[in-house]
Amino acid sequence: MASPTSINPAHAHFESVLQAQLCQDVLSSFQGLCRALGLEPGGGLPQYHKIKAQLNYWSAKSLWAKLDKRASQPVYQQGRACTGTKCLVVGAGPCGLRAAVELAMLGARVVLVEKRTKFSRHNVLHLWPFTIHDLRALGAKKFYGRFCTGSLDHISIRQLQLLLLKVALLLGVEIHWGVTFTGLQPPPRKGSGWRAQLQPSPPAQLAIYEFDVLISAAGGKFVPEGFTVREMRGKLAIGITANFVNGRTVEETQVPEISGVARIYNQSFFQSLLKATGIDLENIVYYKDDTHYFVMTAKKQCLLRLGVLRQDWPETDRLLGSANVAPEALQRFARAAADFATHGKLGKLEFAQDAHGRPDVSAFDFTSMMRAESSARVQEKHGARLLLGLVGDCLVEPFWPLGTGVARGFLAAFDAAWMVKRWAEGAGPLEVLAERESLYQLLSQTSPENMHRNVAQYGLDPASRYPNLNLRAVTPSQVRDLYDVEAKEPVQRMSDKTDSRKPATGSVATQEELLHWCQEQTAGYPGVHVTDLSSSWADGLALCALVHRLRPGLLEPSELQGVGALEATSWALKMAEHELGITPVLSAQAMVAGNDPLGLIAYLSHFHSAFKSTPHNPGPVSQGSPGTASAVLFLGKLQRTLQRTRAQGNGEDAGGKKPRVEVEAETPSTEEPPVPEPDVPVTPPSQYQEASAEDLCALCGEHLYILERLCANGRFFHRSCFRCHICEATLWPSGYGQHPGDGHFYCLQHLPQPGHKEDSSDRGPESQDLPTHSENNMPSRPSIPGAPQEGTTPVPSQPTRQLIRLSSPERQRLSSLHLTPDPEMEAPPKPPRSCSVLARQALEGSFVGWGMPVQSPQVLVAVEKEEEESPCSSDEEAEEDVPLDSDTEQVLWNLAKNSGTMNSYPTWRRTLLRRAKEEEMKRFCKAQAIQRRQNEIEAALRELEAKGTELELALRSRSSSPEQQKALWLEQLLQLVQKKNSLVAEEAELMITVQELNLEEKQWQLDQELRTYMNREETLKTAADRQAEDQVLRKLVDVVNQRDALIRFQEERRLSELASGPGPQG
């Protein structure tokens, strides 16, 4: 039987369009198709219907069925919703093409201009579930048979552009290549319309094309006039992308993809990479698509050391300019990192070629990202209105590690098309703009978890995608500035200098309000008379009274009789840090001497901002006060616990010097013998307490201004100086240690271990011990001559840890214990402190593997049903069967066997692997979001420090300035202090999440290690094997205990906040 292509030449052209893999081939094949059918390209939806009518053979019908199903949605009104609307789309990137497709389905005339002439970007994009469903509904599998066939859902930019280009051409979009949009040409007179300024000289029909809608998708470097762009800056971040040739050999198909590994929770991997290759990375991702695609974040010092960067420059453009990057060194760097990450299983790595025929490897800067202040505008001149909208990178530049670029880009394209529909319906300009800005507010918050679950219901209507949608969140009166009767000034770029993500709660106190609050809090205490914010605090009694008011029971006021001012102040400063989470701003010596009034005011303002909502009454403040900076407090206790544990392991007194004030013998015993803390003692050594010690950085010796002061281990530092001695990375709370030998500070990855052991598996953040309720972290009280120490709450002694032995099934259940706090759960019961009880509790839990919820039969039934409902058609390539390594295979096999689903559901293997990869991706994205926010906080703190330095210099040096001006400067300084405290509290919250990620990763690693022992026959195990298995089991129990402590901390804080009601945070 003759094939359709031998009967009708148009069929051959159509098949060429489907199979074409180059932009020019697509265009030439489509032009041949139109010539064979007697059509002109770019004819809109009528052209689509004519093509469909003449190509009715089986291969084409499957594509028409998909497109017709999409076009039949009521929102398109059968292609008549935007009839008469003329649109110009700038840019043929994925978002520009997706917007053009939607506009074409609405019935608008769509013209697209693109300055490039080919698609050459091999970089790979992560896809959200809704983008996968959306592209499949447009015939993605028809155009690209390998679409989403691996264990991770992604597609190269080039392939995505190709398939969207084919759809756009079929739907009648008119496309012009090699044409650059340079600006708008306003109507010269009444009755004429808006045109585009294009280069080089465009075709006559394009030069005279008048349109009433402009959609800009030309990238972050081009934003139409009138839009304001805000710059969101973080710490220097250098990304490296590399594309290697994918030969699709058997060996290459067996190499698993890497959804993402981040240093923030897996330091051991990057430590091994550093030792083996000298390469220092923050993260790495590997996708297998048309190419082997790797993307990673590298550290500048490493790039300089390995010769990738020839010279260090402060300007980022100059640092990463082509003249400063050594191509050969960059290629060696990328090849070595990729080879290590894949264990050398990809064989000889050859670079793919970029658009210029060079190896496809590049270094780029993502330190700053641009975000448009508004997503749309309306311009009107001589009665002609023009609606302008932004989509893609010129709307919001995505943060690549999160994999949000194409998903949020598609959402913005849908929202822009909805705006055009409302515009075509005759809605007023202000109403259209208000709705569009209401949707824009939701864009940065979207994720697969907080959108509608049923992706099959997604459509152009925003209500089908966004839960709890409020299209009136922005009112028409708020967008009047977006409606221009005449063209406005050129685009402005504003730096996001102040951090607005977490504004300081409440108003900042003036000096008089702060004094009045302190007087109220200390009223009634014997011997305490607060009349000012300087000399009244010199004897230490006022500060002790304030601490007692906020945390009663730590010390009775009567016990302060006979205590020296320096000792009482030292105790109060330390107690405020350890029990209230308020870090010192000045030393006890300076407070007693009264030579730093500005520092004292800044310090007391922290108390006020944290506890100002506390009602003044004779009774004590409850311990669940919402003002407590709980995350800062928790991390402080964690840091001290780590230091004590390290000191015990070193067999040293972590305190360095014996404190003058002895801790009495009646201190309750805990699980482990108490070790002196390495923090400043109750009576600090003279080297930490000499006059103006807080005015000089303990590392660089330079002057320290108030907002620059960071206190750690009793000393003050610049934040910029407080870095790892080896890698110079910023040290975060609970993420550093001080070496007792050299006194330097290190990140946990580079902290030298006793005896300089190379094996770091037992160290680092994975082995951190979290503070538990039985741990006595309270500083000792000041010694009082002749006064007994009373008022301490006895802590019951805990049983010593004993070695336990569990059976193999018990160990398997324990290894898979998964602790996830449920926001709606009740307060958890008191934790058991013995391993045997903990193990029994673990046995009662459900089986969970790979850190993901166990899949019940009902869930797997739904998965099976979903896969059955969307089978691949006969002409589409079936999904690849992804090979697994033996450990992963065993994990999935055990999970399926224990779930009772192995025989009932034949696709369990692929389903569970994809779920596991999805969980890995979520953890990676979460870690990268934390890291990005940490970098933004660091940049914001630097700006606050610079402003604070100027104000402090003005206050200290201009004694002749009017008192009113000084009061204004002081109020501004306090405002900066409160913003800094808010950012530091947010930073601590992020570090709590980092601890969760660390423990999740550690539990997964131990789970894998324990399974290798459990899968062996008992008769074949040696004594060393059994000993190693017991050791892994003990580590796993420790991790479970630590995760339990974190969950209890979060739950207690949640219950405390619920009990106390909303209140300002420290």
Side-chain angles (χ1 to χ4, degrees):
M1 179 178 178
S3 64
T5 57
S6 64
I7 300 174
N8 189 343
H11 294 176
H13 289 295
F14 180 74
E15 291 297 326
S16 297
V17 171
L18 296 183
Q19 304 302 325
Q21 291 298 300
L22 295 176
C23 180
Q24 292 300 328
D25 292 344
V26 173
L27 296 176
S28 60
S29 297
F30 185 75
Q31 289 172 354
L33 174 64
C34 290
R35 283 195 300 269
L37 298 178
L39 302 174
E40 283 292 329
L45 277 184
Q47 170 200 285
Y48 165 73
H49 292 300
K50 292 177 182 178
I51 294 176
K52 184 178 68 170
Q54 298 187 54
L55 295 178
N56 56 3
Y57 70 104
W58 65 270
S59 183
K61 283 184 177 179
S62 62
L63 178 61
W64 307 145
K66 290 181 177 294
L67 296 178
D68 287 345
K69 182 178 180 181
R70 174 80 184 190
S72 64
Q73 295 180 10
V75 69
Y76 299 110
Q77 300 176 16
Q78 297 181 350
R80 294 191 293 269
C82 293
T83 302
T85 302
K86 297 180 180 180
C87 304
L88 177 67
V89 178
V90 181
C95 298
L97 287 168
R98 190 64 190 87
V101 167
E102 285 301 307
L103 294 173
M105 284 192 169
L106 286 168
R109 182 187 175 188
V110 184
V111 175
L112 186 148
V113 294
E114 168 58 48
K115 64 181 180 181
R116 297 182 178 90
T117 57
K118 58 182 177 180
F119 297 149
S120 58
R121 290 185 289 175
H122 294 110
N123 292 354
V124 180
L125 303 172
H126 172 65
L127 299 178
W128 288 6
F130 95 84
T131 54
I132 298 171
H133 187 276
D134 177 69
L135 292 171
R136 279 181 171 160
L138 294 178
K141 294 286 286 186
K142 190 75 177 177
F143 300 116
Y144 182 51
R146 292 191 178 94
F147 179 71
C148 288
T149 56
S151 59
L152 293 172
D153 297 322
H154 51 69
I155 188 173
S156 70
I157 298 177
R158 191 181 70 87
Q159 286 291 349
L160 181 57
Q161 287 177 290
L162 282 173
L163 72 88
L164 288 175
L165 171 64
K166 296 171 185 179
V167 175
L169 289 172
L170 289 172
L171 292 177
V173 176
E174 181 181 332
I175 301 180
H176 296 269
W177 302 94
V179 177
T180 301
F181 175 86
T182 59
L184 287 169
Q185 183 179 333
R189 68 187 68 84
K190 193 173 182 64
S192 57
W194 291 81
R195 297 180 182 178
Q197 297 177 359
L198 304 170
Q199 291 181 351
S201 298
Q205 59 176 2
L206 183 59
I208 63 173
Y209 177 62
E210 295 182 352
F211 49 89
D212 47 16
V213 174
L214 171 67
I215 302 296
S216 176
K221 295 183 180 180
F222 176 81
V223 179
E225 292 184 358
F227 286 91
T228 301
V229 179
R230 182 180 57 167
E231 181 183 19
M232 298 176 289
R233 294 197 63 84
K235 190 173 66 172
L236 176 65
I238 301 175
I240 294 177
T241 60
N243 285 280
F244 299 99
V245 174
N246 185 354
R248 304 192 186 279
T249 63
V250 175
E251 293 76 12
E252 288 174 293
T253 60
Q254 292 177 347
V255 179
E257 297 177 292
I258 302 174
S259 57
V261 184
R263 178 194 295 272
I264 204 169
Y265 61 81
N266 191 349
Q267 288 84 0
S268 59
F269 172 85
F270 295 96
Q271 181 68 22
S272 301
L273 173 65
L274 180 61
K275 290 179 180 179
T277 64
I279 293 175
D280 206 1
L281 299 179
E282 291 288 348
N283 52 48
I284 187 168
V285 173
Y286 163 49
Y287 289 155
K288 192 186 310 178
D289 210 274
D290 280 353
T291 60
H292 296 293
Y293 171 70
F294 291 84
V295 58
M296 60 202 82
T297 302
K299 293 191 176 182
K300 182 182 72 171
Q301 295 302 324
C302 169
L303 296 175
L304 289 167
R305 174 168 44 83
L306 296 179
V308 177
L309 300 178
R310 294 188 171 99
Q311 193 172 348
D312 191 4
W313 297 102
E315 302 88 3
T316 307
D317 292 342
R318 196 172 182 183
L319 179 70
L320 297 178
S322 58
N324 198 46
V325 177
E328 296 80 7
L330 179 60
Q331 293 170 30
R332 288 195 300 270
F333 184 98
R335 185 181 283 112
D339 193 61
F340 180 89
T342 56
H343 307 287
K345 295 180 180 180
L346 288 177
K348 184 179 180 180
L349 293 168
E350 296 182 4
F351 284 98
Q353 302 298 305
D354 64 10
H356 305 286
R358 297 178 299 215
D360 195 353
V361 56
S362 62
F364 64 97
D365 166 48
F366 61 101
T367 302
S368 64
M369 296 182 295
M370 300 299 179
R371 176 185 177 89
E373 291 288 326
S374 59
S375 60
R377 301 184 70 85
V378 172
Q379 293 187 8
E380 181 177 347
K381 189 171 185 179
H382 295 307
R385 290 176 178 174
L386 175 67
L387 175 64
L388 299 94
L390 304 181
V391 298
D393 288 0
C394 66
L395 179 63
V396 180
E397 285 187 330
F399 181 50
W400 72 261
L402 299 185
T404 59
V406 67
R408 290 178 179 170
F410 276 23
L411 290 174
F414 296 156
D415 295 339
W418 175 261
M419 172 185 70
V420 175
K421 178 179 181 296
R422 297 280 292 129
W423 178 264
E425 290 173 347
L430 293 179
E431 184 181 355
V432 170
L433 292 173
E435 283 191 8
R436 179 67 188 96
E437 295 308 308
S438 298
L439 292 172
Y440 184 38
Q441 289 185 347
L442 299 175
L443 186 64
S444 61
Q445 307 169 21
T446 54
S447 69
E449 289 74 31
N450 62 18
M451 297 181 66
H452 280 311
R453 298 292 183 183
N454 189 359
V455 297
Q457 298 296 325
Y458 281 23
L460 197 61
D461 189 341
S464 67
R465 294 175 271 123
Y466 305 114
N468 306 317
L469 176 65
N470 180 12
L471 288 176
R472 297 185 178 180
V474 177
T475 62
S477 62
Q478 294 175 292
V479 295
R480 291 186 182 277
D481 60 323
L482 302 181
Y483 185 15
D484 301 334
V485 177
E486 295 290 339
K488 289 276 184 170
E489 66 278 359
V491 60
Q492 306 171 17
R493 292 186 180 269
M494 301 191 311
S495 177
D496 188 22
K497 294 187 180 298
T498 57
D499 189 277
S500 59
R501 292 182 58 164
K502 274 206 170 185
T505 54
S507 58
V508 179
T510 63
Q511 188 173 356
E512 292 75 17
E513 291 172 346
L514 180 60
L515 175 61
H516 179 68
W517 182 82
C518 292
Q519 289 171 337
E520 282 186 341
Q521 300 301 314
T522 57
Y525 285 89
V528 178
H529 303 285
V530 176
T531 58
D532 54 32
L533 296 176
S534 56
S535 59
S536 298
W537 304 82
D539 58 4
L541 296 181
L543 187 59
C544 288
L546 183 60
V547 172
H548 180 270
R549 167 77 178 88
L550 300 174
R551 280 294 179 272
L554 302 178
L555 180 72
E556 291 301 323
S558 60
E559 297 175 357
L560 291 174
Q561 297 177 2
V563 177
L566 184 60
E567 187 178 359
T569 304
S570 299
W571 177 87
L573 286 171
K574 192 171 185 180
M575 187 64 69
E577 181 181 8
H578 290 192
E579 298 300 321
L580 299 176
I582 298 178
T583 55
V585 177
L586 72 172
S587 65
Q589 185 78 19
M591 198 166 181
V592 172
N595 56 10
D596 190 7
L598 284 180
L600 177 60
I601 292 173
Y603 181 59
L604 293 176
S605 71
H606 196 173
F607 284 89
H608 177 265
S609 62
F611 296 97
K612 61 187 174 184
S613 62
T614 303
H616 177 64
N617 54 61
V621 177
S622 66
Q623 289 206 356
S625 171
T628 303
S630 53
V632 177
L633 180 62
F634 181 83
L635 289 178
K637 293 183 177 182
L638 173 58
Q639 181 65 31
R640 293 187 291 275
T641 303
L642 290 173
Q643 290 170 328
R644 283 201 304 275
T645 305
R646 240 177 253 121
Q648 287 176 337
N650 297 342
E652 298 175 358
D653 186 334
K657 294 186 179 182
K658 184 177 180 180
R660 239 178 46 191
V661 181
E662 300 291 335
V663 181
E664 298 209 357
E666 62 187 51
T667 303
S669 61
T670 58
E671 267 188 45
E672 301 173 352
V675 177
E677 298 179 2
D679 296 46
V680 55
V682 176
T683 302
S686 59
Q687 60 180 335
Y688 297 163
Q689 286 271 307
E690 58 189 27
S692 301
E694 69 280 2
D695 288 341
L696 300 177
C697 175
L699 289 176
C700 70
E702 298 294 328
H703 188 80
L704 269 174
Y705 294 94
I706 290 174
L707 262 78
E708 293 178 328
R709 295 174 188 172
L710 183 148
C711 184
N713 287 18
R715 293 183 287 173
F716 292 91
F717 308 88
H718 291 104
R719 280 183 67 94
S720 57
C721 292
F722 195 58
R723 296 177 178 273
C724 175
H725 184 63
I726 292 181
C727 67
E728 299 185 359
T730 302
L731 299 178
W732 308 106
S734 80
Y736 68 90
Q738 184 178 16
H739 192 263
D742 57 23
H744 294 300
F745 292 92
Y746 299 86
C747 66
L748 294 178
Q749 179 181 354
H750 296 118
L751 180 64
Q753 303 302 325
H756 301 282
K757 297 178 181 178
E758 294 297 325
D759 183 11
S760 60
S761 59
D762 297 339
R763 291 288 179 179
E766 305 92 359
S767 59
Q768 295 176 1
D769 293 326
L770 299 180
T772 60
H773 297 279
S774 62
E775 184 173 289
N776 186 15
N777 290 304
M778 185 187 303
S780 59
R781 300 177 178 185
S783 64
I784 302 171
Q789 297 281 355
E790 297 177 356
T792 53
T793 305
V795 180
S797 60
Q798 303 297 332
T800 59
R801 296 185 178 181
Q802 298 178 352
L803 180 63
I804 63 171
R805 292 194 178 276
L806 301 177
S807 64
S808 292
E810 290 174 329
R811 290 173 179 166
Q812 187 172 359
R813 297 299 293 273
L814 177 60
S815 71
S816 301
L817 179 63
H818 184 67
L819 297 172
T820 304
D822 185 351
E824 303 300 329
M825 62 187 272
E826 296 296 328
K830 187 174 180 179
R833 304 314 313 165
S834 69
C835 291
S836 59
V837 177
L838 184 60
R840 284 197 298 271
Q841 283 194 348
L843 295 178
E844 296 172 1
S846 60
F847 182 92
V848 178
W850 274 68
M852 60 180 177
V854 64
Q855 303 299 324
S856 64
Q858 291 81 3
V859 174
L860 288 175
V861 167
V863 173
E864 290 286 328
K865 183 176 180 182
E866 178 183 348
E867 293 184 353
E868 290 173 0
E869 288 176 351
S870 58
C872 299
S873 59
S874 57
D875 61 329
E876 296 174 352
E877 182 175 321
E879 294 194 8
E880 298 176 1
D881 191 17
V882 182
L884 305 176
D885 57 83
S886 57
D887 291 340
T888 305
E889 180 81 27
Q890 186 64 39
V891 169
L892 296 177
W893 188 86
N894 287 337
L895 178 54
K897 181 175 65 175
N898 283 275
S899 302
T901 60
M902 185 171 58
N903 296 324
S904 302
Y905 310 105
T907 61
W908 63 268
R909 182 174 176 278
R910 187 179 65 199
T911 300
L912 294 180
L913 178 61
R914 291 180 69 86
R915 294 291 174 88
K917 290 292 185 180
E918 288 171 5
E919 291 300 317
E920 289 181 4
M921 174 66 74
K922 289 178 183 178
R923 184 162 72 243
F924 176 74
C925 292
K926 190 175 184 181
Q928 294 312 296
I930 291 172
Q931 188 167 13
R932 177 66 189 184
R933 183 55 188 153
Q934 285 178 332
N935 293 340
E936 290 176 352
I937 289 175
E938 186 173 349
L941 287 172
R942 284 199 301 265
E943 293 172 354
L944 290 178
E945 289 171 2
K947 292 180 180 178
T949 299
E950 295 178 5
L951 288 172
E952 187 176 347
L953 285 172
L955 284 167
R956 292 186 186 276
S957 61
R958 302 180 186 178
S959 56
S960 59
S961 301
E963 291 299 321
Q964 185 177 3
Q965 181 63 55
K966 289 183 178 180
L968 178 60
W969 286 339
L970 181 59
E971 184 176 350
Q972 292 174 347
L973 182 64
L974 292 179
Q975 203 167 29
L976 295 180
V977 169
Q978 185 169 348
K979 288 182 179 179
K980 176 188 174 181
N981 294 336
S982 177
L983 289 173
V984 170
E986 183 186 356
E987 184 180 59
E989 295 283 354
L990 295 175
M991 290 309 300
I992 294 291
T993 309
V994 169
Q995 296 298 330
E996 293 181 76
L997 295 173
N998 281 331
L999 292 173
E1000 287 177 8
E1001 180 70 15
K1002 181 61 176 178
Q1003 182 173 338
W1004 181 84
Q1005 292 175 353
L1006 291 172
D1007 175 46
Q1008 294 293 92
E1009 189 175 355
L1010 186 59
R1011 287 179 187 278
T1012 61
Y1013 291 107
M1014 291 191 304
N1015 291 334
R1016 300 178 190 174
E1017 293 290 339
E1018 288 291 334
T1019 57
L1020 301 179
K1021 291 181 182 178
T1022 64
D1025 290 338
R1026 292 189 177 90
Q1027 183 178 2
E1029 185 177 1
D1030 290 338
Q1031 186 178 5
V1032 173
L1033 181 60
R1034 286 197 299 271
K1035 290 180 182 179
L1036 188 58
V1037 171
D1038 288 340
V1039 170
V1040 171
N1041 280 331
Q1042 293 170 45
R1043 294 190 70 183
D1044 180 67
L1046 261 183
I1047 291 171
R1048 290 180 182 281
F1049 159 75
Q1050 294 170 329
E1051 180 64 14
E1052 288 176 3
R1053 182 175 59 177
R1054 185 184 72 85
L1055 294 175
S1056 173
E1057 292 172 352
L1058 288 176
S1060 304
Q1065 301 294 321

